[in-house]
Amino acid sequence: MTTADPAAAVLLAEGELTVRGRIREASNAALYCTVTYEDREAACVYKPVAGERPLWDFPDGTLAGREVAAYEVSRATGWGLVPPTVLRDGPYGEGMCQLWIETAPGAELLALVDAEEPEPGWKAIGFAEVGEGRTALLVHADDERLRRVAVLDAVINNADRKGGHLLPTADGLLYGIDHGVTFNVEDKLRTLLWGWAGEPLTEEALGVLKGLRKALTDAGPLSTVLTPLITPAEIDATRARVEALLTSGVHPEPGGEWPAIPWPPV
């Protein structure tokens, strides 16, 4: 089953969830499952609300809804950057359920280099300590797929875009996962994808943002699907971020009130 298959959301929402194991690296409860519906089966991730770790800057019990909201915004862009994600009941109560993505080994999107400037095809993020008083330049690929993710993150106010949340696949696609800390009304953009900061947005991105502006009007389809997932103030803030990007015409730059890069970066 592909992520573009319209039956994927039905499978995730209506299928029988069977827990196969726990993803131990996750900070919140994340369970590897299979979901079965009629003659279809797929692997998925189930994150029950009951397993969410309380955060000081996000209301308790809201992370699953934010994950689904990020998928809905991604779907509205037409870029398909977030795997199909639904909010549903499961073995441990309500939670988000997302299609599992198999990644391609060896797809290099991030690197540490012993240089002052990035080589062609790469964008600088910043210098990082690598031990024994040494520093190295952290870079990410100058990749159009990553650039789309950077725009999406600016819209949803992603506070945790780490390298491990970027999943390239064997068919050349790229997905972003782990969107629980998004849509805050305060500016919390924290990402590794600062390589385009201050550069003009592409014509494609501007077109997508104009589409989001229309979809986010009070009666717009995106506002309708976001209403049960995030608060009215958070929807208003999303509208404001889209408008700010269109007004400036450039990728945002790091602010001074919030750490610009997540830690650990991977």
Side-chain angles (χ1 to χ4, degrees), residues 1-113:
M1 172 173 292
T2 67
T3 58
D5 188 338
V10 176
L11 172 63
L12 292 171
E14 304 295 335
E16 181 180 355
L17 271 179
T18 302
V19 176
R20 303 297 184 184
R22 181 169 183 173
I23 303 170
R24 297 191 179 276
E25 297 83 1
S27 56
N28 298 297
L31 304 174
Y32 177 77
C33 303
T34 53
V35 59
T36 307
Y37 183 71
E38 297 179 342
D39 61 343
R40 292 182 174 234
E41 182 176 283
C44 62
V45 176
Y46 162 55
K47 297 182 182 179
V49 171
E52 293 180 4
R53 178 171 55 88
L55 299 172
W56 68 269
D57 52 348
F58 286 85
D60 293 350
T62 66
L63 305 191
R66 295 173 194 279
E67 295 245 28
V68 181
Y71 163 66
E72 293 294 350
V73 174
S74 167
R75 193 160 70 101
T77 67
W79 286 334
L81 296 170
V82 179
T85 313
V86 302
L87 196 64
R88 59 161 292 168
D89 195 29
Y92 299 102
E94 186 179 60
M96 83 85 168
C97 186
Q98 184 176 83
L99 195 67
W100 181 265
I101 300 297
E102 292 291 343
T103 59
E108 194 173 22
L109 299 174
L110 298 163
L112 279 168
V113 296

Side-chain angles (χ1 to χ4, degrees), residues 103-161:
T103 59
E108 194 173 22
L109 299 174
L110 298 163
L112 279 168
V113 296
D114 188 14
E116 295 294 320
E117 298 289 339
E119 295 182 356
W122 294 88
K123 289 284 189 177
I125 303 168
F127 288 95
E129 293 186 8
V130 293
E132 299 180 355
R134 295 177 55 246
T135 60
L137 184 64
L138 182 62
V139 297
H140 66 68
D142 188 3
D143 185 311
E144 193 59 39
R145 301 170 302 170
L146 285 180
R147 193 165 189 173
R148 291 171 176 171
V149 174
V151 174
L152 175 67
D153 284 344
V155 171
I156 66 176
N157 197 16
N158 192 350
D160 195 32
R161 175 60 74 203

